[in-house]
């Protein structure tokens, strides 16, 4: 009930777990393992509240199912792209259930119309945001300055759902809000296109199983935007707006103990978009820069669950690539040529520090 982990072992046919749990006289070693009178009621309510049709139909109410079922199970090791989501959750991430389908004990079991993989695992994790998680530490320092300044970031998991059946991922979804008070060291105001939308950039989780050339399979978890965003900079900045076309999270590096317990994880949310400049503010008299198409800049997230500073975020643009669309200015001899020039370049720090 509540926060306890419950372990159920069923090696019995013709009665479902639903029936057996309510009949406490059929429990083996009840006095030693489950002495509380309300255990039956608490277990049934937990399953009833679980948002999983697979649990209710395939396992809980199936009189022929046999196996091991664990309810309210704390998670330890997760895939790298999912592990970072723990940084955006308040408290521990708990799996609603997990278990194993037992080996068939009769030859007829192998001829079932819907055969289960022998000894296959199953489970599900469902999370909805309750209390907001702690904000990450600001880990970046503006060039020429000291300390984090007044920049703030947030990384909040709104929902997370993972379900696996027959020892394989069956579904994965997530909804994550990312906010930043600054971009390129200037104040940034984010709005979704089209509105309404809050100040957050929302990443949507998806999953696919890819088949490799050697016929092996690979689980791929993705977190990326499904909408476009407009980022507005203040009137005092050289920057006007950034039309954000895509943001996607990827794993940069991970360190684990031999037991697979996570030590540290670094991920990067890469932004792609079109940056428009305030031409009247630009100290570039010989050219008119129309727009910059930028990629591979964004936010680096570092998650170390057992460290003193568990979660940090910083802005990174050291690998940014820019396609510059410009026309010659009035003082340039290039005005004599009926062409528009486009170039490729790299820059490390935009905005107020030219």
């Amino acid at each position: 009930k509540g926060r306890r982990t419950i372990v159920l072992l069923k090696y019995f046919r013709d009665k479902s777990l639903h029936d057996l749990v309510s009949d406490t006289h059929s429990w083996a070693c009840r006095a030693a393992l489950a002495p509380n009178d309300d255990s039956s009621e608490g277990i049934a309510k937990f399953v009833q509240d679980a948002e999983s049709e697979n649990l209710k139909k395939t396992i809980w109410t199936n009189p022929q199912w046999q196996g091991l079922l664990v309810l309210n199970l704390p998670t330890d090791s997760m895939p790298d792209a999912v592990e970072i989501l723990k940084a955006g959750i308040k408290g521990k991430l708990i799996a609603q259930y997990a278990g194993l389908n037992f080996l068939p004990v009769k030859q007829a079991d192998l001829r079932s119309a819907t055969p289960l993989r022998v000894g296959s695992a199953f489970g599900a994790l469902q999370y909805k945001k309750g209390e907001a998680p702690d904000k990450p530490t600001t880990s970046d320092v503006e060039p020429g300055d000291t300390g984090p300044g007044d920049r703030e970031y947030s990384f909040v998991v709104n929902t997370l759902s993972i379900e696996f059946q027959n020892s394989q991922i069956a579904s994965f979804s997530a909804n994550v809000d990312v906010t930043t008070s600054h971009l390129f060291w200037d104040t940034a105001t984010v709005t979704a296109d089209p509105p309404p939308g809050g100040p957050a950039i929302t990443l949507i989780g998806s999953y696919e199983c890819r088949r490799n050339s050697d016929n092996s399979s690979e689980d791929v978890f993705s977190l990326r935007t499904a909408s476009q965003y407009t980022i507005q900079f203040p009137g005092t900045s050289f920057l006007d707006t950034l039309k954000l076309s895509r943001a996607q999270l990827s794993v940069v590096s991970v360190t684990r103990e031999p037991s697979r317990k996570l030590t540290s994880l670094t991920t990067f949310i890469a932004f792609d978009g079109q940056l428009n400049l305030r031409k009247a503010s630009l100290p570039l008299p010989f050219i008119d820069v129309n727009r910059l198409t930028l990629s591979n800049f964004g936010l680096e997230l570092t998650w170390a669950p057992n460290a003193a500073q568990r979660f940090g975020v910083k802005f990174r643009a050291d690998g940014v690539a820019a396609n510059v669309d410009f026309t010659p200015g009035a003082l340039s001899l290039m005005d004599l040529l009926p062409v528009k020039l486009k170039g490729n370049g790299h820059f490390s720090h935009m905005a107020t520090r030219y």
Side-chain angles (χ1 to χ4, degrees), residues 85-154:
L85 299 182
K86 291 182 179 180
I89 290 174
K90 185 74 171 181
K92 292 184 177 181
L93 195 56
I94 304 294
Q96 273 64 45
Y97 69 92
L100 289 170
N101 297 304
F102 275 176
L103 297 171
V105 294
K106 296 179 181 179
Q107 187 176 9
D109 296 330
L110 299 175
R111 304 193 189 101
S112 171
T114 55
L116 295 174
R117 189 170 165 182
V118 174
S120 61
F122 59 86
L125 183 152
Q126 304 280 347
Y127 169 83
K128 289 183 180 179
K129 185 188 76 172
E131 187 178 354
D134 298 331
K135 287 190 175 182
T137 301
T138 300
S139 304
D140 52 21
V141 178
E142 183 178 355
D145 203 352
T146 59
D150 58 353
R151 293 178 304 284
E152 290 188 350
Y153 306 104
S154 72

